[in-house]
Amino acid sequence: MTSHNMTWISYPSQSQLFTSPEEIEAVIASQNIISRLMHCYIAFFVPTGLTAGICILIIFIKNCLQNKRQSLDLFLLHFTISNIIMILLSFTVIPRPDYLTATHLACSALSFFFNFGYFNSQYVFIWTLLTLLLERFPPGTALCKTTQRPILCVGFVLTYTFCLSLTEAVLVGTDNYQLEARCQLDPLFAWPEYEIVKFTFGFGIPSLLQILCFAVLLAKEAPAGAPALRQHIRAHPAVYAIGATIFTCRLFYNIMVLFRTALKLQRNIGTTKNELVMNIAEIVLFCESCASLVVIVCFHKPCKDEVLKVIQKCRRKTGANNHLEIPDTTTTHQNGSQ
């Protein structure tokens, strides 16, 4: 692996000298768009996603303590923790349209934890899909027995994603750790191999596995006694809704990551429009983490049932308070002389 000198790269909005009024207006418009999107994300998506994540943690931990745990619930718990990590790290977008200023070393550390959550959520979701697939087509093989031991699966995912994240931290660059730079969670100054590895192992391979699981589910005939396909999907709507959300949002993000790699290989910093679209793609990725947690709360049966119970209890208390009869006290005023 050859070391790259990435000191030449910078953000178009921060480095170019804009002379014409059209260029200045384009930069201002771009910064206004990203600023508004950032404020919408922080105001609406972050509170919703964190609230949903905390609810999921409480419900799943409660079920585990009551020995009501299932493999699917443990995988979704792991998925939830990974997405909460990504939401917390997304607070680095608060300075936009400017960027967080940090040393290369600090930026590499942030990138490591971001990639750890990113890879974790992707691969644990693949195990979730595989669990549902083997539930419908039980082969009785070692793979089926492995999915019935979710702790072992989670340990494998953690080890694998740790190695991937460590590799990505190295590919951010091993030089100039003491220098300060404008920092994104996917650093601009990272080597081109960084984005290539991220696309391959963070989107390409997981997406192929995800498509393969869906293809087998739709094309293969279920054994006798297995529920119908429509009934199977209705029993686990959250997983399939999350699959569509992940694929759509991460497809957009990874296309922009590859486009940025192409610019790096051409030693081109791009335009302010390219920078704007990359920032939008980053916020869309964070919105996906929030949306996935909301989907689990709304459509995964254990979570939905617990939330409905809480809502019903609140309604009963409110209804009981409204029907309390408060006795009317009438005061009779008597005249002094009758």
Side-chain angles (χ1 to χ4, degrees):
M1 183 174 59
T2 309
S3 177
H4 299 274
N5 180 12
M6 301 300 295
T7 54
W8 59 271
I9 200 164
S10 60
Y11 290 100
S13 63
Q14 308 287 336
S15 60
Q16 296 180 6
L17 294 175
F18 302 101
T19 55
S20 67
E22 292 80 8
E23 290 177 334
I24 296 172
E25 288 176 3
V27 172
I28 293 172
S30 173
Q31 291 183 343
N32 283 337
I33 291 171
I34 195 62
S35 179
R36 290 175 183 176
L37 286 175
M38 181 273 296
H39 283 100
C40 289
Y41 169 72
I42 295 295
F44 299 107
F45 283 89
V46 169
T48 306
L50 289 178
T51 302
I54 291 169
C55 290
I56 296 167
L57 291 178
I58 292 171
I59 292 168
F60 282 169
I61 292 173
K62 176 185 172 184
N63 289 343
C64 286
L65 293 176
Q66 295 176 351
N67 293 323
K68 296 180 181 179
R69 61 184 181 182
Q70 298 178 356
S71 296
L72 181 62
D73 290 350
L74 287 175
F75 287 139
L76 290 178
L77 176 61
H78 187 185
F79 178 81
T80 299
I81 294 171
S82 299
N83 279 283
I84 289 175
I85 291 172
M86 290 184 65
I87 293 172
L88 293 176
L89 288 172
S90 73
F91 282 105
T92 55
V93 304
I94 289 176
R96 302 292 164 83
D98 201 355
Y99 296 89
L100 183 70
T101 302
T103 63
H104 283 216
L105 180 61
C107 199
S108 296
L110 283 173
S111 178
F112 171 82
F113 289 110
F114 169 64
N115 285 319
F116 190 77
Y118 179 87
F119 290 130
N120 241 323
S121 61
Q122 188 71 279
Y123 282 98
V124 79
F125 181 73
I126 296 299
W127 275 108
T128 305
L129 277 180
L130 188 61
T131 301
L132 294 184
L133 191 66
L134 294 177
E135 180 182 301
R136 182 166 171 77
F137 306 103
T141 60
L143 182 60
C144 187
K145 294 177 182 178
T146 302
T147 58
Q148 293 173 359
R149 300 174 64 185
I151 302 298
L152 181 64
C153 298
V154 167
F156 172 77
V157 170
L158 287 172
T159 305
Y160 180 64
T161 54
F162 176 82
C163 294
L164 282 177
S165 303
L166 195 59
T167 303
E168 288 289 78
V170 172
L171 293 175
V172 168
T174 55
D175 302 324
N176 304 318
Y177 275 146
Q178 74 283 0
L179 296 181
E180 284 196 344
R182 292 182 173 90
C183 180
Q184 278 183 290
L185 292 176
D186 280 322
L188 180 68
F189 55 82
W191 298 349
E193 290 88 347
Y194 173 93
E195 282 101 351
I196 294 170
V197 169
K198 182 153 190 171
F199 176 83
T200 303
F201 292 95
F203 181 75
I205 293 174
S207 295
L208 287 175
L209 293 174
Q210 185 174 326
I211 292 170
L212 181 63
C213 287
F214 280 119
V216 172
L217 181 69
L218 296 173
K220 188 175 179 180
E221 185 178 354
L229 177 61
R230 185 175 297 179
Q231 184 180 352
H232 175 78
I233 294 174
R234 285 179 178 175
H236 308 285
V239 176
Y240 299 110
I242 290 171
T245 305
I246 288 178
F247 182 80
T248 305
C249 296
R250 298 197 178 192
L251 175 64
F252 175 44
Y253 180 75
N254 280 273
I255 287 173
M256 294 313 303
V257 164
L258 283 184
F259 182 74
R260 191 169 76 171
T261 307
L263 291 176
K264 286 182 181 180
L265 294 174
Q266 298 168 11
R267 295 185 70 85
N268 183 357
I269 64 173
T271 65
T272 53
K273 185 177 180 181
N274 301 144
E275 183 182 353
L276 168 64
V277 179
M278 186 65 209
N279 277 299
I280 292 173
E282 188 179 32
I283 291 179
V284 168
L285 177 69
F286 294 137
C287 289
E288 174 260 308
S289 295
C290 301
S292 296
L293 298 181
V294 173
V295 168
I296 294 175
V297 169
C298 295
F299 296 104
H300 186 53
K301 193 174 185 306
C303 295
K304 184 174 69 174
D305 291 346
E306 288 293 330
V307 171
L308 289 176
K309 285 179 184 177
V310 172
I311 293 173
Q312 288 173 357
K313 286 180 181 178
C314 292
R315 284 180 177 176
R316 286 172 187 169
K317 289 181 180 179
T318 305
N321 291 335
N322 289 338
H323 287 86
L324 284 176
E325 294 184 0
I326 302 175
D328 294 332
T329 57
T330 58
T331 57
T332 58
H333 300 278
Q334 296 180 354
N335 297 327
S337 58
Q338 293 183 345

